[in-house]
Amino acid sequence: MTRHTVTLIPGDGIGPETSAAMQRVVEASGADIAWEVAEAGAHLMDEYGTPLPEATIEAVKRTKVAIKGPITTPVGTGFRSVNVALRKALDLYVCLRPVLSIPGAGGRYDGVDLVIVRENSEDLYAGIEFEEGSEAARKLIAFCEEEGAGSIRPDSGISIKPVSVTGSDRIVRYAFEYARKHGRSLVTAVHKANIMKHSDGLFLRVAREVAAEYAGEVAFEDRIIDACCMNLVVDPTPFDVVVFPNLYGDIASDLAAGLVGGLGIAPGANIGDEYAVFEAVHGSAPDIAGQNKANPTAEILSAAMMLDHLGACDAAERIRRAVRLVYAEGAHLTGDIRRTTRSDRPAASCTEFTDALIAAIVTLD
Ligand code: NAI
């Protein structure tokens, strides 16, 4: 069996708990992984002066593959998102989030099997912002006025939304290539091109150009983001591969996770041409951190995606089969799933759920 070296970033909040569970399950799956632990998060500020030390970025560059727990980002003020910085530093331009029904997880629908492909490097997440009242904001407001672009109130904070031809082309192309590789038949591009003609309009134009190259092989449609949210809630089952600019993709990921049982089971990956960082959709869940209550399924399914990426597909499939078994059996599910399914059975701890999953893996084959 091939041994793979992977960088493990446990993160903060529930991250260390879900990451420890994930490591145990990956080891039980038979995959041969050498873990290189690297740190990131608010707790490093005192020692390193940054929540994302250069050594952590270097570690991922060395191993090329990482799996990370969530990392808290202060709201409104404080340092910028470590997650966004990591995606930028490694040019992880694809955020891939499969949304799959797991029987027993309390989803609103059966048979959901869609894949969110979210652009990960530009749009309102570019981090180009001007503080209200700053000299730069004043200059920008004056410039917009001069150009006849429209008037902005002088007490405005401003965030810039860049959407490029290059960025749009590579994400839409990734969605079509993913569809081709995985035998999927439809790509939906989501936008608000009717209002934002030079950003979302550009995204849509490029999407149509790329789609034309796949005509006859993969079908294409586009939807406006607000209508798309309504369509997803009414019936997500017709969706297949859905490609979004960054912000809409972020919001739709949580929405879609809610349709199949919640954030506790929603996995994901950030992928670039050279590196890949796997992580759950959810955040650091400070409300339950350190209490052994977190559902580690999302990080465990992210690890299964990582094993596929590394070519350890049998181990990945063993994990997914065991997850389906544990949910179908329903005796050891965490509190988030108990609430979704409105069950009055006692909630399993993170550790109890993980033990049940490992026991299920052992019974496979
Ligand atoms: P969150 O995803 O951490 O939590 C939302 C709700 O879902 C909470 O009630 C939480 O208890 C629950 N939840 C989330 N994951 C769960 C799990 N595995 N098991 C059981 N319950 C779970 O979102 P929130 O509260 O908006 O963000 C908290 C922090 O996480 C923020 O600082 C945010 O910036 C950060 N964040 C980090 C991400 C990352 O590292 N990739 C992604 C999203 C948010």
Side-chain angles (χ1 to χ4, degrees), residues 6-28:
V6 165
T7 302
L8 169 63
I9 305 170
D12 56 32
I14 58 171
E17 298 160 63
T18 55
S19 296
M22 178 277 299
Q23 264 186 298
R24 289 181 59 208
V25 171
V26 168
E27 273 151 28

Side-chain angles (χ1 to χ4, degrees), residues 176-223:
F176 274 95
E177 285 300 320
Y178 183 94
R180 184 184 255 174
K181 188 169 166 207
H182 294 87
R184 290 177 173 266
S185 56
L186 173 67
V187 171
T188 305
V190 184
H191 58 86
K192 189 80 184 176
N194 48 332
I195 304 296
M196 283 160 279
K197 297 182 193 302
H198 295 302
S199 48
D200 287 26
L202 179 152
F203 177 80
L204 176 59
R205 189 190 82 219
V206 172
R208 286 180 173 149
E209 285 165 9
V210 173
E213 295 178 33
Y214 294 83
E217 198 183 347
V218 181
F220 174 74
E221 61 170 16
D222 71 276
R223 295 190 194 217

Side-chain angles (χ1 to χ4, degrees), residues 4-11 19 22-23 26 33-40 52 55-69 71 86-87 90 92 268-272 274-280 299 301-307 309-310:
H4 302 280
T5 305
V6 165
T7 302
L8 169 63
I9 305 170
S19 296
M22 178 277 299
Q23 264 186 298
V26 168
I33 303 291
W35 306 98
E36 256 189 37
V37 178
E39 294 291 334
L52 180 60
T56 297
I57 298 173
E58 287 309 315
V60 184
K61 286 188 172 165
R62 204 169 45 246
T63 59
K64 303 210 181 300
V65 174
I67 184 158
K68 71 174 273 295
I71 295 171
L86 197 59
R87 291 167 197 166
L90 301 169
L92 305 171
N270 302 291
I271 299 170
E274 282 189 77
Y275 313 108
V277 177
F278 295 80
E279 66 177 336
E299 190 169 335
L301 291 176
S302 304
M305 292 172 73
M306 177 186 82
L307 294 175
H309 177 87
L310 292 169

Side-chain angles (χ1 to χ4, degrees), residues 293-304:
K293 285 182 180 169
N295 185 350
T297 308
E299 190 169 335
I300 289 166
L301 291 176
S302 304

